[in-house]
Every structure is written in structure tokens, then in C-alpha cells.
Amino acid sequence: MNPRSRAGAGWDAIVVGGRVAGASTALLLARSGLRVLVVDRARRGSDTVSTHALMRGGVLQLRRWGLLDRIVATGTPPVRRATFHYGAESMPISLKPYAGVDALYAPRRTVLDALLVDAAEEAGARFRFGLAVTDLARDSAGRVVGVVLRDHDGATWTERARQVVGADGRGSVVAGRVAAPTIASGSRAGAYVYGYWPAADVDGYHWYYGDALSAGVIPTNDGLACVFVGGPQDVLASAMRDHGPVAAHRGLLARLDEGLAERTAAPPYGSVRFFRGMPARLRRPYGPGWALVGDAGCWVDPLSTHGITDALRDAELLAIAIVAGSASERAEGIALVDYQAQRDRMALPMQPIVDRLASHEWDLAEARRLLHGLSSVMADEVEAIRGFDLAATRTA
């Protein structure tokens, strides 16, 4: 059925954005029996900027949802070791099986996003790609009751829903239209240049720190690794301007680690891309008839390598809240307050650590301390995710 023909009936939820956060939220809502429409301005199957790496909490979510085997079946390589390079010193750490997770994964976004969309459609969610949200519809009391859509031909119409979810990234249209307030923010942001090179001999994740720069080698699909280098925005922008993407990437890597630069001596597979970050931002993620999830509500610098895991975590928290709040507006308010409280409990401890890492002003001793703190926060997050089954049971 064409969603346009259902405008009179409406939807239980309209999700704006069909990538990790949006597709995951739609999947869980549809599995709970809700009528869900997802709209995304991009084309189906398109790529997006990403470092790909899933942390244990993200892998745990995919396993709990019955999707991890599908990731494995795509040929995404398992990661069972992470090596931290502090200047000339290397520190390999083997992943210990825990919480049903014995390997990490870093699927290409063309793989992960498509897999989540397929799973959500199997659960009954409807997706429409190539549609832009131009505004939000409201009732006489100001409650959000739908979205105004525009297609490629310029036609516009309104789709109505009990709940509108903004999963449309750090520049969220939904967050902008409702003026979602920022409740916490950082002050630093890095910039990153990345591309793809052969990964036949890459043993797990490799993270590099030193000389006011950072880098990572992340094995992903098709026998390739995502190789990024990060640093202060003015440094990377100047290198890009003076040398172009490929030469800037290799020159910055050479400053950090000659061996890593040699790994990228061959031409990259595809283009080398430049990404300018922005300071961390945590928005209040709900209001009358609307909610935010993923980068729209919780943005951290890419050096955290935690954005996808954040999105998978918060998608479930929000889905639980929407289902629990479906009985009445009062129940909805209580459930969404709890959604924010749980999200903030996990997100806030990470933000000052990542903010400092993104500055690239640390020495190697401080970098170690920061990463140790980040590891502790992630361990606490895994414990919290293990409790999601209990939360879902209570709201069933």
C-alpha cells in the first residue's frame, strides 16, 4: 500500500531518517505491532560518512535483536583484538567473550543500514526514500501530529502520526523545527580524513595516538580497511587545501606513524573524504508528539568510534518508551522522561572524555588515561544494555 493513501488513517509513528537510528527504532516499534512509516531524503542503499566500528554494546544489541548472524553472513570480518599505538609503543588487547559477544564488527554502512531496513520491513514498517521533510504538522494545542513531505517532483502533502521521531542526524530538521534545547555540550571537535585500502593482513582494530594526531585502521567488508587520520580542524583543513585529499591523508599518517603511511602507499579504493566534526551536543530528546534518537539527540566526536553503538542503544530505549506511552499522553510523558534519564545516564559520562580526546591537545600519558576512562564507561553501558530485556518485559 502506498503510504500516501493512508494519510487519513495516520500512523502510530513516523520516523524521519532511515539509517541506523531510524531503521532500528522502526524495527523495534514494528515488532511491537505499531504502524510505522519511515521517510528519508537519501536514496535507498546510499553510503554515508562513518568509521564503521561497533563497540561491544552495539554488537550486543544486534545479537539481542537476532541480526548478528546476518552481519556475519555478509562477510564482515570478526575483530577479536584491538591494538593501541602510543607513539612507538604498541599495546595489543584481546577481546574476552562476555555478554554473548566474542567478536566486534565494523560493517560498511551500505551493509548495516540496508540490513536494518530489510529487518524493519520484514517486521511491517514501511519505508519511503527520496522524500524531504519540510515542516512539522501541529494541532491547535501545538502538539506535533505529523510531517509535511516533499518529493523530487515538488509535490507536497502531510502524513499524520501519534509520534514523530527525528532520526535525521546532527543537522536534524525535526530538532530544528521543535527548537529542541541543548542540555549539555562540548567545546572541542576534530576533523578527519579517511579512505579504504586492502586489509588482508590487518589483525583487528588499530588505534594510533601521538604528535597531536590520531588514526585508526578498521577492517570492514570486501577485504578493505577504513583508514582515518584525525587532528585539529585547522591542521587538517590546511593539509587538504595545500596537498589534496590523498596526499594530505598520507602526509598526516607519516607524521604519526611511517608504517601506517606505507600501508596507504597504494591508491585507495574509491575517494578519500574529509569530514569536519562539531562539538558534542546532547539535546532534550522529547516533547509533545515528538522524540529524537541517534545523532539528532546525542552527538559525540567520531574519535569516540561510538556513534553507531549510541544509535542502537537509544533506539531501543526510545522504542520501549513509545510503546509504554501509547495508552495516553500522561503515560507518554512519563515514559519519555525515563527515556531521557536512561540515555543521559549512559551518554553524559562519555562526553567530557571524548571532548578532551577530540581536542588533540593531550600527551601520550593523558591519552592513556582518557582511553582507560572511556573503556570503563563502555563497560557500564554494556551492563545497562543487558538490563534492557527486563525493561521490555515490564512494559509488555
Side-chain angles (χ1 to χ4, degrees):
M1 182 184 297
N2 187 320
R4 191 181 305 203
S5 68
R6 295 196 56 166
W11 304 85
D12 293 313
I14 295 175
V15 181
V16 181
R19 296 197 179 276
V20 170
S24 297
T25 303
L27 163 68
L28 298 172
L29 291 176
R31 283 182 176 178
S32 295
L34 274 63
R35 297 167 301 160
V36 184
L37 171 66
V38 184
V39 295
D40 195 299
R41 66 190 311 156
R43 62 179 175 81
R44 187 185 186 108
S46 61
D47 203 358
T48 190
V49 173
S50 182
T51 54
H52 312 304
L54 286 166
M55 298 296 104
R56 192 189 295 265
V59 177
L60 176 56
Q61 287 295 75
L62 293 174
R63 184 187 67 78
R64 292 179 58 252
W65 301 345
L67 301 179
L68 184 56
D69 287 347
R70 299 191 191 189
I71 292 291
V72 174
T74 67
T76 307
V79 171
R80 295 188 170 88
R81 177 183 297 244
T83 303
F84 294 82
H85 303 265
Y86 300 102
E89 182 182 358
S90 297
M91 181 181 298
I93 299 176
S94 296
L95 182 76
K96 296 180 180 179
Y98 181 67
V101 174
D102 64 0
L104 304 180
Y105 296 88
R108 288 290 297 265
R109 293 297 297 273
T110 49
V111 172
L112 177 61
D113 294 16
L115 186 150
L116 289 166
V117 168
D118 289 347
E121 287 183 325
E122 290 166 14
R126 297 301 305 271
F127 282 74
R128 290 289 305 275
F129 292 92
L131 297 180
V133 171
T134 62
D135 205 351
L136 301 178
R138 300 175 187 266
D139 65 14
S140 59
R143 179 184 175 88
V144 173
V145 294
V147 298
V148 180
L149 298 172
R150 184 182 65 228
D151 65 17
H152 289 310
D153 296 324
T156 63
W157 69 98
T158 299
E159 294 281 354
R160 298 186 176 274
R162 180 175 59 82
Q163 192 80 40
V164 172
V165 175
D168 47 343
R170 64 177 186 164
S172 170
V173 171
V174 175
R177 291 293 188 272
V178 299
T182 297
I183 60 175
S185 60
S187 60
R188 302 301 182 92
Y192 303 90
V193 185
Y194 75 96
Y196 297 91
W197 279 266
D201 59 342
V202 176
D203 177 20
Y205 294 157
H206 285 258
W207 312 115
Y208 295 79
Y209 305 90
D211 194 25
L213 295 170
S214 60
V217 180
I218 304 168
T220 185
N221 299 89
D222 303 318
L224 300 176
C226 174
V227 182
F228 76 83
V229 58
Q233 294 194 2
D234 58 344
V235 172
L236 267 71
S238 175
M240 289 285 292
R241 183 175 57 251
D242 294 343
H243 305 291
V246 175
H249 183 270
R250 188 157 186 247
L252 290 164
L253 287 179
R255 278 179 47 184
L256 187 58
D257 186 282
E258 278 290 348
L260 185 54
E262 291 173 6
R263 174 179 292 281
T264 62
Y269 283 69
S271 60
V272 171
R273 302 176 69 176
F274 173 67
F275 176 75
R276 191 186 298 271
M278 59 175 272
R281 179 175 60 200
L282 198 66
R283 286 172 163 141
R284 179 163 64 82
Y286 70 92
W290 62 270
L292 303 175
V293 70
D295 288 346
C298 176
W299 164 264
V300 292
D301 192 88
L303 195 54
S304 69
T305 63
H306 205 264
I308 299 175
T309 298
D310 278 349
L312 296 171
R313 176 197 73 201
D314 294 349
E316 183 158 1
L317 288 174
L318 179 56
I320 291 171
I322 291 175
V323 173
S326 60
S328 67
E329 288 189 20
R330 181 176 182 276
E332 175 189 284
I334 293 171
L336 289 172
V337 167
D338 188 55
Y339 161 54
Q340 178 180 337
Q342 293 192 67
R343 183 205 66 172
D344 292 358
R345 196 174 301 124
M346 287 178 272
L348 283 171
M350 182 176 294
Q351 289 209 347
I353 299 172
V354 177
D355 195 57
R356 180 62 183 168
L357 282 170
S359 75
H360 290 88
E361 293 176 353
W362 29 259
D363 59 21
L364 294 182
E366 184 184 7
R368 288 175 189 258
R369 291 195 299 270
L370 290 168
L371 292 165
H372 179 77
L374 190 59
S375 176
S376 178
V377 170
M378 290 183 184
D380 291 342
E381 175 187 62
V382 169
E383 290 305 306
I385 290 173
R386 293 178 72 196
F388 284 4
D389 290 318
L390 296 176
T393 299
R394 287 196 299 270
T395 59

